[in-house]
Amino acid sequence: MRPHSEILRSELSPFDARPMGWSQLMAWVFANSYETAMSNIGYQWLFGILRERGDILVERFFAGDATSLESDRPLREFPTIALSLPYELDILNFLSMLKSAAIPLFARERENAPIIIAGGDAITLNPFPFADFFDILILGCGEAWGRRFPEIMRNMPPGMADRDLILNAAQDIPGAWVFSRGVLGQIGRAPATREFPAFTPILTSFGHFRNMFLAEIQRSCPFSCGFCSSRWLSQPFVNYSAESILEVYRERGQGAGRVGLVGSAVAEHPELARIIDGFSGLGARVSPSSIRFDRIDDATLAKLADAGIRSLTFAPEIASEHLGRNIGKWIPPASIVEYAAKAEKTGFRELKLYWIIGLPDECDDDIIAIAEAIKKIASASSIALSCSVNAFTPKPHSAFEREPMADDNTLKRKFALLKSSVAGCAVKLDLNYSRQSRIAALLSICGRELAPILAKIANGENIKKALREGGIDITAEISAGEEPEWGMVQ
């Protein structure tokens, strides 16, 4: 990681790195790289909410860093530590951070140590593998916690955190689950009710999206793809008005020349053309997240090209109609070939596609179908083509939540089949499958039985050995039990 001073100099921030007048400290942790953290709209947005209060000093921590970005304080000096956990695998990084700071991993062992809180998509979907490590878990939208928890802290003596008082008071925050107080039937999550877009208040030269202002243009997803939990996480689906999106930029965008439009279904926004034109009028170029070609008209596609965008991202997922019916999403490969040719003529130079291997009812012919689709798309135009291929991972609260992740040998064979089937094709192929993929699947659908295994790994034990001693064969098919604990999350 770069020196903290260099990172801080790279940031354009509305916040004073060393404010005066504060009485309480909070560590705001993202257990991954700085680049990934500062490209995450949820982490940045909640940091902005927490920093609105002058009496609470919130400082950032990232994976592999023993001290805070803002002041180089050690993690252990913070009476309250809050973790944003959008990705399941990052729990391993966080536990390593606690271990390095000599902070007990399990909440039950931290009577005189920091109070530790966690929220994020991974926590909301299935809090149980992580529950034993945290005093408070935030399920659902974190905004209510971000605004109300500092009110609890401000009543504490300076630099102190009264554990019982904080845990008792936290139970009144929507979505807050104090695990040590037990489970009573169902666990409620905080609803996403905000009427304005989330955004990234800090611009940085070292993020994945260099000096780009990210603005949420919609919440949740209008589609119900069988493998995905996005709709459940933050329903109902809402498109924010073009004026509210532009207003957020005018007030908080700090004159950024590039704006990332964040949403699960950007093409579904009825004012997308107006948004593009509005930012153009403000001197900013827009860059949308993944966009469905079959849901966007030619005029809007041309506006994106005119705005200077040269790369498009699209997720067809599969290339077989029967799988399309299963997952609830079907874009015929012939249509993608058309869209690729149209994109090239419109001025785009690169196309990135996302595919999934290992879906329920998949056979080798479906893998070959993906390969054939890739070859047809690559040969139909000279546009640069890259394909990212991921293994199916069952997600709680999705239609496929009880479907298994295929065993290791099966997935290795299928990925090898795809690779050999596109050999010689002009495509950049990124095959995303490894042991880490399988650990992520375990964390996604298993329960509290994983906690002691995670602790062993954090304490330096070999991952494969720790899993084996815990009775888990990481190479076998992975699926949820008959009555998974995460079914209590409502």
Side-chain angles (χ1 to χ4, degrees), residues 370-372 374-375 417-427 429:
I370 292 176
E372 291 301 314
I374 291 172
K375 289 189 286 189
L417 175 60
L418 178 66
K419 184 177 181 180
S420 63
S421 298
V422 297
C425 177
V427 59
L429 194 62

Side-chain angles (χ1 to χ4, degrees), residues 28-60:
W28 183 228
V29 182
F30 196 97
N32 206 307
S33 67
Y34 171 86
E35 292 81 4
T36 302
M38 298 305 288
S39 303
N40 184 280
I41 199 167
Y43 177 77
Q44 276 229 48
W45 177 66
L46 271 175
F47 179 70
I49 289 176
L50 292 167
R51 282 299 304 268
E52 287 177 358
R53 301 192 60 91
D55 50 357
I56 307 294
L57 179 58
V58 184
E59 297 188 347
R60 290 168 287 167

Side-chain angles (χ1 to χ4, degrees), residues 92-218:
L92 298 173
N93 295 334
F94 181 68
L95 295 179
S96 295
M97 293 172 74
L98 295 184
K99 178 69 176 177
S100 298
I103 297 173
L105 302 185
F106 289 98
R108 61 179 177 268
E109 300 171 355
R110 288 198 299 265
E111 290 185 11
N112 299 309
I115 289 175
I116 304 183
I117 305 162
D121 287 354
I123 295 292
T124 299
L125 286 171
N126 180 12
F128 289 93
F130 320 109
D132 287 280
F133 303 116
F134 298 99
D135 300 286
I136 304 170
L137 296 125
I138 308 301
L139 309 182
C141 180
E143 181 177 4
W145 170 81
R147 298 193 186 282
R148 292 176 58 174
F149 190 78
E151 290 288 340
I152 299 172
M153 290 185 66
R154 70 181 298 198
N155 295 321
M156 301 289 105
M160 302 291 290
D162 186 313
R163 178 173 294 272
D164 285 337
L165 190 155
I166 288 177
L167 296 185
N168 288 335
Q171 293 183 98
D172 293 330
I173 299 175
W177 177 31
V178 180
F179 179 66
S180 62
R181 301 295 195 261
V183 182
L184 299 175
Q186 295 181 343
I187 307 166
R189 51 193 171 112
T193 58
R194 64 182 179 277
E195 298 179 356
F196 60 90
F199 58 91
T200 50
I202 299 173
L203 304 180
T204 174
S205 300
F206 296 137
H208 288 314
F209 309 111
R210 180 183 174 91
N211 293 323
M212 179 182 285
F213 178 76
L214 302 181
E216 185 183 45
I217 71 167
Q218 57 198 183

